[in-house]
Amino acid sequence: MAAAKTTTTSAQQTSSAPLRLDAPRIPPLAYSGRVQLKALLDRPESVVGRHVIVGGWVKSAKEVKKKAAAPPSFATATEETTDAGEGGKGKDVSCVEILQSRIPLLRSLLDVFGGGGYVQRKKRENVIVPNHKVLPPKASTAYLLLTDGSCVPSLQVVVDSSVATPSRLLPTGTCLLVEGQLERAEGKHAIELKAEKVLHIGTVDFDKYPLSKKRIPLDTLRDYSQFRPRTTTVATVVRIRSSLSFATHTFFNEHAFIDVQVPIITSTDSEGFSNMLKVNTLEQKAEKEKLDTIYETEGVSLEHVKAAAKEKSNIIEHLKRTESNREALAAAVQDLRKTNELASQMEAREKRKLGASFKDDDKVDSSKEFFPFQTYLTVSGRLHLESYACALGNVYSFGPRFLADKTDSAKHAAEMWMVEVEMAFSLLKDSMNCANDFFKYLCNWVLIHCSEEMKFVAKRIDNTCVNRLQQIILGSPVMMTYHEAIDVLRKLSYQAEDKKFETNFESGFALTSEHLSYLTDTIYQKPVVIYNYPKEAKPFYARQNDDGTVAAFDLVVPKLGTIISGSQNEERLNMISSRIDELGLPREKYEWYLDLRRNGTVKNSGFTLRFDLMVLFATGLGNVRDVIPFPRSYGKANN
């Protein structure tokens, strides 16, 4: 017996790591007393032997049953296998019975070759004796992978059944607060925590808990936004998002910008043609039909006219390929031009109607509504931000913006966060340079400060993500005007047999995501800055150039599309007033903005970075809803 105890003690001393006197102190979190797993797993060898408290959620688990220790002598075996009799004396046990109890193979042979007496004894052993002691459950050890969201890897926690009941610890998602000592581990884990106390157990309903299943698709996880950050992928994306948020404030702080919070509720359409979300405090009757769906004139809708233009464009392309007579081609071109003119006129009328509708929305019962006029969730804060730029110089804002767009695009949600910048005494080129520097800064920040997260992203999501960010940092974007971009696409449409764009590329045509993707992914394979757009494609406040274009730009990146849009703003009162009247916007709503031109006007420029798309670009995910903590889109607002 003594020998057995000595052996056990020696084994325990071997497996248990002594406390290192030179091990660094592990400071707990300020407001909970626990230690973050990242602080332990970033330097595993230096924390062995330390006593800590950790908390987190079970990612996976297994239970290992302990083997019963072999008895040291036959005398003990005799005591274990005897039945309790009168006076506490045991029944004699034969050598055959001892061998049968110790050698399973011999026991089986005796059963087959005439061990009838043993069979009877075996039956008697199965009979429950009233005074017989109930055997305790077998001892076991639970091995848990615990994550607290601070890093990609998990900490292995070893809990003996004498410390806590394993069945309560094993289900995925169980919340634990554990106190114990850090020891070296075998296998892929450098360290493990040997639990001494389990301070808290938050159990889960395993059958109803959505993360009980493995490999849940990201689109399914969106329906469980309260649980999805517990997955490794979403937690990693959120840490990258948090780091990029901090980088944003750091960049502008380093360049002497002032952070200004702009209103979320506004009475102004900041772009002039946006689909805005109304702010209502009363129950409203069904809204009248909006012109942004189908605008009908004389029984013909705008959508039908655009479809006809597309069909006529296809006919022209066919005539060019078949080398038909020039008269038929000229007639088709003329017909297409008239169709496009009709579409342009209908769009202009639609915008005027939208302006009138925007004005009519003010007719509310001021005695019952919270505001005495119609208000909206802001689409952009650049107009308000400009007020502060005209007093403070360089300013920026970082917050949510809203757009009532019913599209199911993978790059759009109803609520998205934007970084908006305004700079006094600056021109379009200054805005483009600042935007490019800011974009490079964010890419570099991710590679430096999120290296572990990016390794996970490269392994599980997009193996090209690191190279893509490095190319952005080391390279420079291609600079071209809108008309130069149109010329490039037109030539490709005419020449490239494997790529035919179904459009005529007339001036004023809005570049689609397909066109932008072809420029960045196929032709140049790098970012492209397109500037000097037609005025129809940009907000009303963009400064008008002498050639009829406006001083606006887009930074387009591979795989994603437009990530930054900016402009030099119109500082001339007569020009901005004419543009407001041209679009049919309610002038009274913009008087405060026009006052900036009447009193101390200044040339200024700015831009907007779509922050959610920046996270999408860094992680390589395919849908912007997967990088937004609580995505809101048409028909989707679960909590």
Side-chain angles (χ1 to χ4, degrees), residues 3 9 49-50 144 158 292 302 350 449 490 548 587 591 600 620 626:
T9 305
R50 286 295 179 183
L144 315 171
V158 183
D292 55 5
L302 177 58
E350 178 177 320
H449 297 275
R490 184 185 291 115
R587 189 180 182 87
E591 285 298 329
D626 295 325

Side-chain angles (χ1 to χ4, degrees), residues 334-380:
Q334 182 67 17
D335 190 21
L336 176 62
R337 184 177 292 111
K338 291 181 179 179
T339 305
N340 286 331
E341 288 176 359
L342 175 61
S344 298
Q345 292 173 2
M346 293 177 68
E347 285 180 334
R349 291 178 63 184
E350 178 177 320
K351 289 178 180 179
R352 288 194 295 271
K353 276 275 192 174
L354 282 173
S357 175
F358 186 67
K359 187 174 182 179
D360 291 341
D361 285 337
D362 290 345
K363 298 176 182 179
V364 297
D365 189 345
S366 59
S367 63
K368 297 180 180 179
E369 267 287 2
F370 190 86
F371 295 107
F373 43 79
Q374 183 60 60
T375 54
Y376 305 85
L377 298 180
T378 186
V379 173
S380 169

Side-chain angles (χ1 to χ4, degrees), residues 169-279:
L169 311 177
L170 298 175
T172 300
T174 302
C175 180
L176 298 176
L177 187 65
V178 183
E179 182 178 352
Q181 183 169 304
L182 294 167
E183 300 178 353
R184 287 186 177 86
E186 297 179 355
K188 63 180 181 179
H189 299 284
I191 58 171
E192 63 184 18
L193 181 73
K194 185 64 178 294
E196 298 171 0
K197 296 179 183 177
V198 177
L199 305 175
H200 170 78
I201 301 177
T203 59
V204 300
D205 187 341
F206 187 78
D207 293 331
K208 296 181 179 180
Y209 185 60
L211 302 187
S212 299
K213 300 178 181 179
K214 294 183 178 180
R215 298 287 184 181
I216 303 175
L218 289 173
D219 57 344
T220 303
L221 281 175
R222 293 176 209 150
D223 296 329
Y224 303 98
S225 54
Q226 68 272 33
F227 293 128
R228 68 178 189 153
R230 298 186 189 181
T231 64
T232 306
T233 298
V234 176
T236 300
V237 170
V238 171
R239 287 193 298 271
I240 292 174
R241 184 186 181 97
S242 174
S243 186
L244 284 170
S245 175
F246 184 77
T248 295
H249 294 289
T250 303
F251 174 85
F252 290 113
N253 184 61
E254 290 176 355
H255 291 83
F257 281 74
I258 296 176
D259 184 10
V260 177
Q261 289 77 43
V262 299
I264 290 178
I265 299 175
T266 179
S267 62
T268 306
D269 182 355
S270 301
E271 294 185 345
F273 47 76
S274 304
N275 297 327
M276 305 176 72
L277 285 165
K278 289 183 180 181
V279 176

Side-chain angles (χ1 to χ4, degrees), residues 271-465:
E271 294 185 345
F273 47 76
S274 304
N275 297 327
M276 305 176 72
L277 285 165
K278 289 183 180 181
V279 176
N280 290 327
T281 57
L282 299 176
E283 288 188 13
Q284 302 289 333
K285 293 183 178 180
E287 297 288 338
K288 61 183 180 296
E289 287 189 13
K290 291 297 180 181
L291 293 171
D292 55 5
T293 55
I294 296 179
Y295 175 80
E296 295 190 1
T297 175
E298 298 179 357
V300 180
S301 72
L302 177 58
E303 286 186 355
H304 291 158
V305 175
K306 288 184 175 181
K310 183 177 180 180
E311 183 178 351
K312 295 177 190 297
S313 179
N314 292 337
I315 293 173
I316 291 174
E317 297 300 327
H318 176 72
L319 291 173
K320 289 178 180 178
R321 289 194 297 269
T322 57
E323 298 182 357
S324 299
N325 63 74
R326 294 184 178 181
E327 293 182 0
L329 179 60
V333 170
Q334 182 67 17
D335 190 21
L336 176 62
R337 184 177 292 111
K338 291 181 179 179
T339 305
N340 286 331
E341 288 176 359
L342 175 61
S344 298
Q345 292 173 2
M346 293 177 68
E347 285 180 334
R349 291 178 63 184
E350 178 177 320
K351 289 178 180 179
R352 288 194 295 271
K353 276 275 192 174
L354 282 173
S357 175
F358 186 67
K359 187 174 182 179
D360 291 341
D361 285 337
D362 290 345
K363 298 176 182 179
V364 297
D365 189 345
S366 59
S367 63
K368 297 180 180 179
E369 267 287 2
F370 190 86
F371 295 107
F373 43 79
Q374 183 60 60
T375 54
Y376 305 85
L377 298 180
T378 186
V379 173
S380 169
R382 285 193 60 191
L383 297 189
H384 294 89
L385 204 58
E386 194 175 330
S387 300
Y388 278 76
C390 290
L392 304 178
N394 293 349
V395 295
Y396 76 102
S397 184
F398 186 15
R401 307 292 181 256
F402 306 86
L403 192 62
D405 195 339
K406 297 181 180 180
T407 181
D408 194 30
S409 171
K411 298 180 179 65
H412 172 76
E415 177 184 345
M416 297 182 69
W417 279 62
M418 309 289 182
V419 180
E420 295 176 316
V421 178
E422 289 295 332
M423 300 177 290
F425 308 100
S426 67
L427 307 178
L428 179 66
K429 63 178 181 180
D430 301 312
S431 181
M432 290 191 292
N433 290 337
C434 182
N436 187 46
D437 290 345
F438 178 43
F439 181 55
K440 285 188 173 184
Y441 186 90
L442 294 181
C443 293
N444 190 55
W445 183 281
V446 169
L447 293 180
I448 294 175
H449 297 275
C450 303
S451 57
E452 288 300 317
E453 283 75 12
M454 292 308 296
K455 288 179 182 177
F456 173 82
V457 169
K459 181 179 179 181
R460 295 284 296 274
I461 301 174
D462 181 5
N463 58 10
T464 66
C465 62

